[in-house]
């Protein structure tokens, strides 16, 4: 009696297979095949080193580059149409043949002297090509990434240099090119706000000479709708999952003060202390509240902190569970980030850290009674309102303006709060 088996041969870049019929005296190969896996030398080297790779990464990068180029061409096309409509479009020769020194000299000159409308068009054409660096709060830079930090610090230093010298980017590059004709302009990136500032100064200067053409309405169109327009990132809220316990509700952000509250109490109820006789130390509700107050104001609770709160000494022989003994319990990471920023700038705004739910606790177990009855009033609590503002507003400039207007923070304070990332933690 014969039987049929499938044999496989796994290689680093292929899978071979054979369908075999086996009998007592002989075997017969019925069918064979091989599946080749596209696998470059670089991917193989990364795989052997144990590094995670994605074959889609390069495709994503290339697709992003194509989209960026396509959007630049759309802006360029719209700009050309608007320049032509207002008789500001320069000819091809003046667009392509002008050298860097003359171009930046024209930008410097336009701040103080009248220039031809077509020369102004050439400047606007150039500003559309180099728009500067703009950070997105929806995709914040990774903390601890030295390359990113160094890059951003260099950009900030260049901005500070401009402000101290009271120069625009065009005037600054013009000075550098006068000193060294081989100065590398492309390697010196400035924040976009510096380019917008130069645009405003050039437009306002030339408006005095062409008031009927360079109107305030056209300024907004040129600046905000074409040259410095940037499409907002699409919302991904539709991908947020449903709660396993409340199927009609989305899961909440981990940085939400409400989740932080729940997380802390859940952690407190996992605390156990035992001695060598395997006896358990009973933690009263009052002591649990003291532990909560510590975790609510700090990043974590250590073994030393716990014993101090419970009034115990190390020599008493009570040992907490392994998690606390080794790593401690995580506290309110949301509030601690805000507190750190407040302490760094010496901000005295404890009123913004209040978050009270007015819950009732069981006197026996410390459990929250009727947790499903928490109403939406918590959304009016100061800490929740501040968190929601920092979490939900994507545009840095808009967020900073709201912090200054509604919370009366200074420029420096608003800038520092803007740097806090509450999205990276996920849901």
């Amino acid at each position: 009696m014969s039987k049929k088996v499938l044999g496989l041969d796994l290689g680093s870049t292929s899978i071979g297979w054979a369908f075999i019929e086996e009998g007592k005296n002989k075997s017969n190969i019925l069918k064979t095949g091989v599946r080749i896996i596209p696998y470059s030398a670089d991917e193989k080297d990364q795989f052997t080193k144990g590094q995670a790779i994605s074959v889609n990464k390069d495709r994503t990068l290339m697709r992003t580059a194509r989209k960026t180029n396509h959007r630049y061409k759309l802006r360029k096309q719209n700009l050309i149409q608007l320049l032509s409509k207002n008789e500001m479009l320069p000819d091809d020769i003046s667009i392509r043949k002008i050298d860097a020194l003359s171009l930046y000299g024209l930008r410097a000159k336009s701040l103080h002297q009248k220039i031809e409308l077509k020369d102004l068009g050439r400047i606007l054409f150039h500003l559309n090509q180099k728009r500067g660096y703009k950070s997105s709060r929806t995709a914040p830079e990774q903390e601890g990434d030295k390359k990113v930090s160094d890059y951003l610090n260099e950009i900030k230093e260049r901005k500070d240099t401009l402000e101290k010298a009271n120069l625009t980017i065009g005037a600054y590059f013009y000075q550098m090119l006068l000193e060294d004709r081989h100065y590398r302009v492309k390697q010196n990136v400035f924040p976009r706000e510096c380019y917008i500032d130069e645009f405003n100064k050039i437009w306002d200067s030339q408006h005095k000479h062409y008031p009927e053409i360079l109107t305030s309405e056209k300024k907004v169109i040129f600046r905000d709708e074409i040259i410095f327009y940037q499409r907002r990132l699409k919302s991904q809220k539709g991908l947020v999952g449903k709660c396993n316990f409340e199927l009609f509700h989305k899961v909440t952000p981990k940085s939400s003060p409400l989740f932080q509250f729940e997380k802390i109490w859940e952690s407190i109820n996992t605390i156990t202390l035992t001695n060598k006789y395997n006896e358990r130390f009973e933690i009263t509700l009052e002591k649990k509240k003291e532990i909560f107050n510590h975790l609510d104001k700090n990043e974590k609770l250590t073994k030393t902190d716990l014993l101090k709160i419970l009034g115990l000494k190390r020599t008493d022989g009570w040992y907490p569970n392994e998690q606390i003994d080794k790593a401690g319990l995580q506290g309110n990471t949301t509030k601690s980030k805000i507190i750190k920023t407040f302490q760094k700038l010496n901000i005295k705004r404890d009123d913004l850290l209040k978050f009270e739910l007015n819950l009732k606790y069981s006197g026996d177990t410390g459990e929250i009674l009727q947790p499903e009855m928490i109403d939406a009033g918590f959304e009016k609590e100061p800490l929740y309102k501040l968190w929601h503002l920092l979490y939900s507003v994507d545009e840095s400039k808009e967020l900073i303006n709201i912090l200054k207007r509604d919370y009366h923070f200074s420029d420096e304070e608003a800038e520092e709060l803007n740097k806090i990332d509450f999205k990276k933690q996920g849901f």
Side-chain angles (χ1 to χ4, degrees):
M1 183 177 180
S2 63
K3 62 178 180 178
K4 296 177 181 178
V5 295
L6 178 65
L8 295 176
D9 180 27
L10 302 179
S12 60
T13 60
S14 64
I15 301 176
W17 59 272
F19 197 44
I20 305 170
E21 184 180 24
E22 293 183 342
K24 288 185 177 179
N25 300 322
K26 64 176 183 177
S27 297
N28 183 29
I29 299 176
L30 301 177
K31 203 169 186 180
T32 61
V34 64
R35 178 63 184 260
I36 306 296
I37 303 170
Y39 201 47
S40 68
D42 291 339
E43 292 172 338
K44 182 178 180 181
D45 291 340
Q46 286 182 302
F47 182 77
T48 54
K49 290 177 184 177
Q51 298 176 0
I53 59 173
S54 169
V55 294
N56 295 324
K57 180 181 177 182
D58 291 337
R59 284 195 305 173
T60 301
L61 292 174
M62 296 296 288
R63 183 169 63 249
T64 302
R66 290 195 301 271
K67 285 182 178 178
T68 302
N69 185 48
H70 174 66
R71 287 166 186 158
Y72 163 70
K73 288 182 177 179
L74 286 178
R75 290 201 318 273
K76 179 180 175 182
Q77 182 180 353
N78 292 334
L79 179 61
I80 289 173
Q81 290 177 356
L82 194 57
L83 290 174
S84 178
K85 184 178 179 180
N86 291 276
E87 299 181 355
M88 297 167 63
L89 181 66
D91 55 67
D92 288 343
I93 295 177
S94 64
I95 288 178
R96 296 194 176 108
K97 297 298 182 180
I98 189 170
D99 61 275
L101 180 63
S102 301
L103 181 54
Y104 284 107
L106 186 61
R107 283 169 62 167
K109 177 183 175 181
S110 65
L111 296 167
H112 311 290
Q113 302 177 34
K114 179 181 178 180
I115 61 173
E116 297 296 326
L117 280 175
K118 290 190 176 182
D119 287 337
L120 177 59
R122 180 63 186 91
I123 291 173
L124 298 180
F125 204 85
H126 193 214
L127 288 172
N128 185 56
Q129 292 175 305
K130 290 177 67 68
R131 305 193 301 163
Y133 171 83
K134 182 181 179 182
S135 174
S136 172
R137 295 196 77 251
T138 55
E141 295 78 16
Q142 291 186 356
E143 297 177 3
D145 190 329
K146 191 174 185 303
K147 288 184 179 180
V148 172
S149 299
D150 291 345
Y151 179 75
L152 295 179
N153 287 333
E154 287 176 4
I155 292 176
K156 186 177 184 301
E157 288 172 4
R158 294 190 192 107
K159 179 187 175 185
D160 294 339
T161 301
L162 280 186
E163 292 176 349
K164 289 177 182 177
N166 194 26
L167 293 172
T168 62
I169 295 174
Y172 173 79
F173 282 148
Y174 181 57
Q175 284 190 4
M176 295 295 104
L177 287 167
L178 284 174
E179 296 174 8
D180 178 10
R181 293 297 296 269
H182 302 288
Y183 179 76
R184 300 288 294 174
V185 172
K186 288 186 178 180
Q187 293 179 358
N188 292 273
V189 180
F190 285 85
R192 183 167 300 175
E193 58 198 89
C194 294
Y195 284 89
I196 295 175
D197 178 63
E198 181 178 5
F199 173 93
N200 291 333
K201 288 179 178 178
I202 292 174
W203 188 281
D204 293 343
S205 174
Q206 297 305 309
H207 168 73
K208 301 172 186 176
H209 308 292
Y210 306 101
E212 295 181 359
I213 298 176
L214 304 180
T215 63
S216 57
E217 291 80 8
K218 289 179 183 177
K219 179 181 179 181
V220 172
I221 296 173
F222 272 105
R223 183 190 61 199
D224 301 335
E225 297 181 15
I226 297 180
I227 296 177
F228 298 108
Y229 172 77
Q230 184 155 319
R231 180 186 63 84
R232 288 188 175 227
L233 294 176
K234 294 179 181 178
S235 172
Q236 302 299 321
K237 290 183 178 179
L239 301 178
V240 177
K242 296 288 185 69
C243 175
N244 290 333
F245 305 103
E246 297 285 345
L247 298 181
F248 297 103
H249 294 85
K250 299 276 189 179
V251 294
T252 192
K254 287 184 178 179
S255 59
S256 166
L258 190 62
F259 173 78
Q260 294 291 317
F261 180 94
E262 185 277 336
K263 177 196 69 175
I264 291 173
W265 272 111
E266 184 178 344
S267 299
I268 290 172
N269 288 323
T270 64
I271 297 175
T272 57
L273 291 97
T274 55
N275 58 17
K276 63 181 180 179
Y277 304 109
N278 206 28
E279 296 173 333
R280 177 172 289 195
F281 184 89
E282 294 296 329
I283 304 175
T284 65
L285 177 58
E286 291 304 315
K287 288 299 180 182
K288 285 184 177 182
K289 289 181 178 180
E290 288 185 38
I291 296 171
F292 174 85
N293 290 333
H294 178 91
L295 285 168
D296 191 46
K297 297 176 183 177
N298 297 276
E299 287 188 286
K300 71 175 183 177
L301 174 84
T302 64
K303 175 183 176 181
T304 303
D305 296 328
L306 177 63
L307 294 178
K308 184 178 179 180
I309 291 171
L310 296 178
L312 300 173
K313 299 178 181 177
R314 290 180 179 270
T315 55
D316 291 342
W318 292 102
Y319 305 98
N321 42 313
E322 187 177 0
Q323 180 184 357
I324 301 175
D325 198 21
K326 288 187 175 181
L329 290 183
Q330 189 180 62
N332 191 329
T333 55
T334 296
K335 185 184 284 189
S336 62
K337 283 184 179 181
I338 297 175
I339 289 174
K340 275 187 176 181
T341 303
F342 281 6
Q343 291 174 342
K344 178 181 177 182
L345 300 174
N346 197 28
I347 300 173
K348 306 296 184 183
R349 298 292 300 273
D350 291 344
D351 57 302
L352 298 178
L353 302 175
K354 289 178 60 179
F355 184 71
E356 298 178 1
L357 294 181
N358 299 318
L359 299 172
K360 294 181 180 179
Y361 302 92
S362 166
D364 299 325
T365 63
E367 291 180 293
I368 298 173
L369 299 175
Q370 294 182 313
E372 71 277 4
M373 299 305 292
I374 299 175
D375 60 48
F378 69 86
E379 295 179 353
K380 297 180 180 179
E381 290 295 307
L383 178 63
Y384 189 90
K385 290 170 70 175
L386 178 59
W387 163 80
H388 191 265
L389 176 64
L390 298 175
Y391 176 84
S392 60
V393 179
D394 295 332
E395 288 291 331
S396 295
K397 186 175 181 181
E398 181 184 354
L399 174 63
I400 290 171
N401 288 336
I402 295 173
L403 289 170
K404 289 162 61 179
R405 184 193 68 211
D406 296 348
Y407 288 88
H408 309 293
F409 286 114
S410 67
D411 289 337
E412 183 185 8
E413 293 167 348
E415 288 275 2
E416 286 297 320
L417 287 168
N418 173 58
K419 294 178 182 177
I420 300 177
D421 172 23
F422 283 134
K423 292 190 176 182
K424 191 165 64 174
Q425 298 178 47
F427 292 86

